[in-house]
Amino acid sequence: ETTNMSAVLHLGVNPIVWSNDDIPELGGDTSLETCLADASAIGFHGVELGHKFPTEPRALRAVLAPHRLQLIGGWHTGRVLERGVEEELKALGPHLDLLRAAGSKVLVYAECSGTVHSVRGAPLGARPTLGGGERAWASYCDRVSALACVVRERWGLTFTFHHHCGTIVQTAEEVDRLLAGTGDEVRLLLDTGHATLAGADAAALAARHARRVAHVHAKDCRPAVLCRARAADWPFLEGVVNGLFTVPGEPDGGAVDFPAVFAALHAGGFGVGNARWVVLEAEQDPGRAPPRAFADRGRAYLARTLAHAGFQVATPPPPPGECDVVN
């Protein structure tokens, strides 16, 4: 039982547990209704967007309302590196309009210029990197900061940057450089699975940047598969189909030290003074990892481990607006 009652967290889930966005045959026959009904029955308070969701605000709210689920946020395939700020805003605008109209407060932004994560057969070692040294990083960070400021000022959404394997911001060093070159308008989406695959210590990353973390994707890696993936420089999607990722609470033990991650976030003030989301996520083959059973197990583990770290984990479905992320 926690004594820090101001640090309130809500648990959400990403629909990729049921249906994969990059490999349509994984969960392709699973309906959105099944995903939402399962998520609600398990006890999640919200979901992130997936490719099966309506793209019109009224229709989106209508599919969520019967399940008492909030829209947490949604991924955007960002390309501000190659497009520049103005062109990126044009591409991003409709997505932001949808998020705001549906009640979301969080943008999940990943820099996908030249990414290999969604290219079948492309090893992670072939990913792009930001050449040009400090000048290139300064220029890129300026673009991200400018974009984040407009997202906050025009749409009222929190800009969270998703470090992601296969992109120019994959390693712990690259996360450090991004956050050092931007201000508080740019928040970090801490993804424990991507950090671990990239060779980072997720707990150390959390400890360094807890003040900037505004969103968490909680997923684990199976250690034996992780070793094979690194040794053979697997493509990202090869890891997915071979069971690299799993939900927190793996019975045989995972690669992520979640108690240490959550302790670091709590010590750094994550969630204090406002509610935040911790989102269960795991790209898996639903034929081998039954989504409802895995999501149920993962949620129970997250609730237990977060509470042990000192967080208050909300249990009833929160009323609209309670889960706003403070900008």
Side-chain angles (χ1 to χ4, degrees):
E1 183 176 351
T2 178
T3 57
N4 185 354
M5 300 303 289
S6 62
V8 183
L9 300 183
H10 294 275
L11 297 180
V13 66
N14 191 294
I16 206 165
V17 175
W18 284 265
S19 302
N20 194 281
D21 291 334
D22 293 316
I23 311 176
E25 60 267 30
L26 296 186
D29 57 351
T30 302
S31 69
L32 177 59
E33 175 64 22
T34 295
C35 167
L36 298 179
D38 285 354
S40 180
I42 291 166
F44 290 106
H45 295 156
V47 293
E48 292 186 332
L49 278 179
H51 69 282
K52 293 183 179 179
F53 284 68
T55 57
E56 192 279 320
R58 183 176 297 180
L60 180 54
R61 291 193 298 267
V63 299
L64 295 174
H67 303 288
R68 302 191 69 189
L69 291 168
Q70 296 187 48
L71 180 66
I72 303 168
W75 162 284
H76 174 71
T77 301
R79 291 191 172 90
V80 73
L81 175 64
E82 63 185 32
R83 285 177 176 150
V85 176
E86 291 306 315
E87 287 301 311
E88 183 70 350
L89 282 169
K90 290 178 184 177
L92 184 54
H95 182 61
L96 295 172
D97 290 340
L98 176 64
L99 292 179
R100 182 173 62 179
S104 171
K105 298 294 183 182
V106 180
L107 169 67
V108 175
Y109 188 92
E111 179 57 67
C112 294
S113 298
T115 184
V116 299
H117 83 272
S118 57
V119 181
R120 298 194 189 194
L124 283 179
R127 75 180 180 99
T129 56
L130 193 57
E134 293 302 321
R135 181 175 296 180
W137 271 99
S139 175
Y140 178 67
C141 289
D142 286 347
R143 289 186 178 195
V144 174
S145 290
L147 186 64
C149 285
V150 176
V151 168
R152 180 183 61 192
E153 293 165 5
R154 192 177 300 174
W155 282 273
L157 299 181
T158 297
F159 183 102
T160 67
F161 194 102
H162 189 336
H163 59 100
H164 200 289
C165 287
T167 73
I168 65 166
V169 184
Q170 170 178 293
T171 67
E173 179 188 7
E174 289 160 349
V175 173
D176 293 345
R177 294 183 82 167
L178 174 80
L179 295 179
T182 57
D184 285 347
E185 67 280 354
V186 176
R187 299 298 185 92
L188 180 65
L189 186 157
L190 175 66
D191 188 303
T192 55
H194 280 279
T196 301
L197 177 57
D201 179 335
L205 196 62
R208 286 201 301 280
H209 300 300
R211 190 185 65 82
R212 297 282 292 277
V213 175
H215 204 57
V216 176
H217 279 179
K219 68 167 168 269
D220 209 342
C221 297
R222 293 182 173 92
V225 186
L226 176 64
C227 288
R228 291 167 55 203
R230 286 176 174 166
D233 193 19
W234 281 359
F236 181 78
L237 296 182
E238 186 171 343
V240 171
V241 299
N242 282 285
L244 171 60
F245 296 115
T246 185
V247 298
E250 181 72 9
D252 295 331
V256 177
D257 186 347
F258 282 101
V261 171
F262 296 148
L265 289 175
H266 189 269
F270 175 70
V272 174
N274 59 287
R276 309 252 184 189
W277 288 98
V278 174
V279 177
L280 180 80
E281 187 187 47
E283 297 94 328
Q284 298 191 91
D285 180 351
R288 298 165 61 184
R292 179 159 178 166
F294 272 72
D296 193 11
R297 187 182 78 204
R299 188 202 177 281
Y301 177 84
L302 287 178
R304 188 168 62 246
T305 309
L306 285 164
H308 185 75
F311 290 104
Q312 180 187 3
V313 180
T315 49
E322 186 177 317
C323 291
D324 291 0
V325 176
V326 172
N327 288 294

